[in-house]
C-alpha cells in the first residue's frame, strides 16, 4: 500500500511543490458528515489524508483534536467504523493515500493481526502511532511493514543526531517532523528553525519529510513548503469543523465547506511557498 504514498509525493515533486497533508478526526462531528468531508478533501487540494482514530486519552493532542475525538466517540465512532470510512472513501478514490493516526491502545484491543489485515483490506496505506517508540517496533511497526503498510515515524525538536538513526530505522512512507515541542495546535513554529531541522533530517534519509503541529494559515503553509516535502494541517481543520456546528454540536450545511475552503487556501499557500523559494 505504500505505492500510493510514493506516487503522491512523486507527483508533488514533479510539480515542484510541497504536498498538502490534511488531518481530520474520523467520526467528527458524526460518521456521515465525516465521510462527506473525507470524500471532499482531495478535490479541495489534499494530497495525503491523515485520519485520526478517536481515543479517550490522546496525550499528544491539543484541545481542538481532543474535543474532536470526544465528539466522535459520543456518536459511537470506533476502530471498526473508522475502517468503514476508509472503505467508503476507497469506493470512489483509489489514488489518495490514507494514513491512520492515533494511539496503540485501540489497536491492541482490536487485535494487531486482525487490525492490520482489516486496515489493508479497507484501503489504508500507512499508520502513525504516536506512543510507540522505536524500541517497541516488534509490537506493531514490523508487523505493519510485513503486512504492506507504511509506518510513519515522528521526529521532534529534541530528536538529535544520536537518536535520529533509531527513529528512521524502520520508518517508511514519509517522516513526520513535529515543528514544536508539545501538543498539537499549541503554538506557531519558528520557520527558520524548522527549515534547518528538515535539512538535517534529509541528510539522514531519502524519505519525504513533512512538517506539522502549529500550521494554521496559508502563510504558514507557504513558509514550511519552502524546505519540506509536505505540510501537515490538523488542528486548524478540526477547528473549522467545530466552529461550523450548531448550538447543540451538530453539523450544519456549512460544515463540509468550512473545511474544504480552508484546505483550498492552504493548498494554494503550499504551492506558492515553493515558487517563492
Amino acid at each position: 500500500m505504500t505505492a500510493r504514498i510514493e506516487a503522491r509525493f512523486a507527483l508533488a515533486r514533479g510539480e515542484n511543490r510541497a504536498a498538502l497533508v490534511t488531518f481530520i478526526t474520523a467520526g467528527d462531528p458524526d460518521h456521515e458528515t465525516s465521510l462527506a468531508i473525507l470524500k471532499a478533501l482531495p478535490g479541495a487540494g489534499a494530497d495525503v489524508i491523515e485520519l485520526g482514530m478517536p481515543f479517550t486519552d490522546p496525550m499528544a493532542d491539543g484541545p481542538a483534536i481532543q474535543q474532536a475525538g470526544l465528539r466522535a466517540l459520543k456518536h459511537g465512532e470506533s476502530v471498526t467504523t473508522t475502517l468503514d470510512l476508509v472503505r467508503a472513501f476507497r469506493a470512489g478514490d483509489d489514488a489518495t493515500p490514507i494514513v491512520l493516526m492515533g494511539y496503540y491502545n485501540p489497536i491492541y484491543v482490536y487485535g494487531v493481526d486482525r487490525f492490520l489485515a482489516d486496515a489493508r483490506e479497507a484501503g489504508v496505506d500507512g499508520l502513525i502511532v504516536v506512543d510507540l517508540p522505536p524500541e517497541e517496533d516488534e509490537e506493531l511497526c514490523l508487523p505493519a511493514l510485513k503486512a504492506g503498510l507504511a509506518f510513519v515515524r515522528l521526529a521532534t525538536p529534541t530528536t538529535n543526531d544520536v537518536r535520529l538513526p533509531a527513529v528512521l530505522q524502520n520508518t517508511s512512507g514519509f517522516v513526520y517532523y513535529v515543528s514544536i515541542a508539545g501538543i498539537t495546535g499549541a503554538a506557531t513554529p519558528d520557520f527558520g528553525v524548522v527549515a534547518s531541522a528538515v535539512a538535517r533530517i534529509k541528510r539522514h534519509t531519502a524519505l519525504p519529510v513533512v512538517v506539522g503541529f502549529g500550521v494554521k494559515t496559508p502563510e504558514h503553509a507557504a513558509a514550511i513548503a519552502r524546505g519540506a516535502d509536505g505540510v501537515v494541517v490538523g488542528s486548524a481543520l478540526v477547528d473549522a469543523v467545530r466552529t461550523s456546528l450548531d448550538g447543540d454540536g451538530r453539523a450544519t450545511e456549512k460544515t463540509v465547506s468550512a473545511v474544504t475552503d480552508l484546505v483550498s487556501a492552504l493548498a494554494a499557500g503550499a504551492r506558492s511557498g515553493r515558487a517563492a523559494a
Side-chain angles (χ1 to χ4, degrees):
M1 294 292 190
T2 58
R4 285 194 195 101
I5 297 174
E6 292 168 1
R8 188 51 57 100
F9 279 102
L11 174 66
R13 279 195 305 273
E15 296 178 352
N16 190 33
R17 63 178 179 84
L20 179 64
V21 182
T22 56
F23 172 95
I24 62 167
T25 298
D28 178 36
D30 59 72
H31 189 83
E32 293 73 21
T33 307
S34 180
L35 178 58
I37 294 170
L38 188 63
K39 289 180 174 180
L41 286 173
D47 290 294
V48 179
I49 298 171
E50 290 178 4
L51 187 59
M53 297 184 288
F55 181 47
T56 53
D57 188 24
M59 61 186 181
D61 295 312
I65 294 177
Q66 287 184 20
Q67 291 166 14
L70 291 175
R71 288 193 296 268
L73 290 168
K74 180 181 177 181
H75 286 93
E77 195 68 21
S78 65
V79 172
T80 298
T81 58
T82 297
L83 294 176
D84 288 341
L85 279 176
V86 179
R87 287 188 190 93
F89 176 83
R90 280 281 169 250
D93 187 319
D94 195 44
T96 304
I98 290 186
V99 177
L100 296 183
M101 185 171 187
Y103 298 83
Y104 184 49
N105 180 270
I107 296 171
Y108 177 79
V109 172
Y110 191 92
V112 169
D113 291 343
R114 175 183 169 220
F115 173 79
L116 294 175
D118 290 354
R120 183 176 171 86
E121 177 271 328
V124 172
D125 299 284
L127 306 174
I128 301 174
V129 182
V130 300
D131 56 346
L132 278 182
E135 290 75 17
E136 306 294 336
D137 274 359
E138 292 184 2
E139 288 284 331
L140 183 63
C141 174
L142 296 180
L145 296 177
K146 188 175 181 181
L149 298 175
F151 199 87
V152 177
R153 192 80 71 189
L154 276 66
T156 73
T158 60
T159 307
N160 59 29
D161 283 339
V162 175
R163 179 64 174 168
L164 191 57
V167 170
L168 296 174
Q169 183 175 4
N170 293 314
T171 298
S172 60
F174 55 91
V175 180
Y176 187 141
Y177 179 69
V178 176
S179 63
I180 54 175
I183 56 175
T184 57
T188 300
D190 181 320
F191 299 115
V193 172
V194 169
S196 297
V198 169
R200 180 172 64 87
I201 294 169
K202 282 178 166 292
R203 291 195 288 270
H204 291 265
T205 181
L207 289 171
V209 179
V210 309
V211 176
F213 281 49
V215 181
K216 297 183 177 72
T217 68
E219 292 74 22
H220 291 170
I224 295 292
R226 293 187 186 108
D229 299 297
V231 181
V232 187
V233 183
S235 294
L237 300 182
V238 171
D239 267 337
V241 171
R242 178 184 59 80
T243 56
S244 76
L245 304 179
D246 67 16
D248 295 318
R250 292 177 297 204
T252 67
E253 69 279 358
K254 297 178 181 178
T255 298
V256 175
S257 61
V259 177
T260 54
D261 288 351
L262 180 54
V263 169
S264 296
L266 292 161
R271 288 175 180 269
S272 70
R274 190 63 60 85

